[in-house]
Amino acid sequence: MNMFSKLLLLVIGMYVIYQGYTTYTFVARSEDGSMGINKLIWFSIPLTDYHLHTYGSIFICIGTLITLSPLVLYLLSLKRSKIV
């Protein structure tokens, strides 16, 4: 993996974490879920506590996985080279 792809994964992961954090801590609420917000261009999330917390925590987890993927791939390549 070259440096550009690692940096790109880091930026994308941090953006997804940021979107998850802003979704999780969004202050407006709708009791019946009739209103919503658009996140990550195509997701329309209803403004209920359950949906905001669920989607926010999912975005944070996915962003963390994307951000840590270069490190995991590097560690896997080290293990593979030690076996051979």
Side-chain angles (χ1 to χ4, degrees):
M1 241 178 156
N2 60 9
M3 187 60 82
F4 177 73
S5 60
K6 290 178 186 177
L7 185 63
L8 184 64
L9 282 174
L10 178 70
V11 169
I12 290 171
M14 293 304 289
Y15 177 73
V16 173
I17 289 172
Y18 171 74
Q19 290 296 322
Y21 176 75
T22 58
T23 302
Y24 192 81
T25 59
F26 197 72
V27 293
R29 300 286 188 261
S30 169
E31 293 182 12
D32 59 354
S34 60
M35 295 187 301
I37 56 172
N38 292 326
K39 290 290 182 176
L40 295 175
I41 301 171
W42 64 89
F43 285 121
S44 180
I45 302 170
L47 291 178
T48 60
D49 284 335
Y50 172 76
H51 289 99
L52 291 174
H53 292 165
T54 303
Y55 281 102
S57 59
I58 289 172
F59 288 162
I60 290 172
C61 290
I62 290 173
T64 304
L65 289 175
I66 292 171
T67 303
L68 294 177
S69 64
L71 178 66
V72 171
L73 291 174
Y74 175 72
L75 292 175
L76 287 175
S77 69
L78 285 178
K79 288 183 180 179
R80 189 178 309 136
S81 65
K82 288 182 181 178
I83 292 173
V84 174

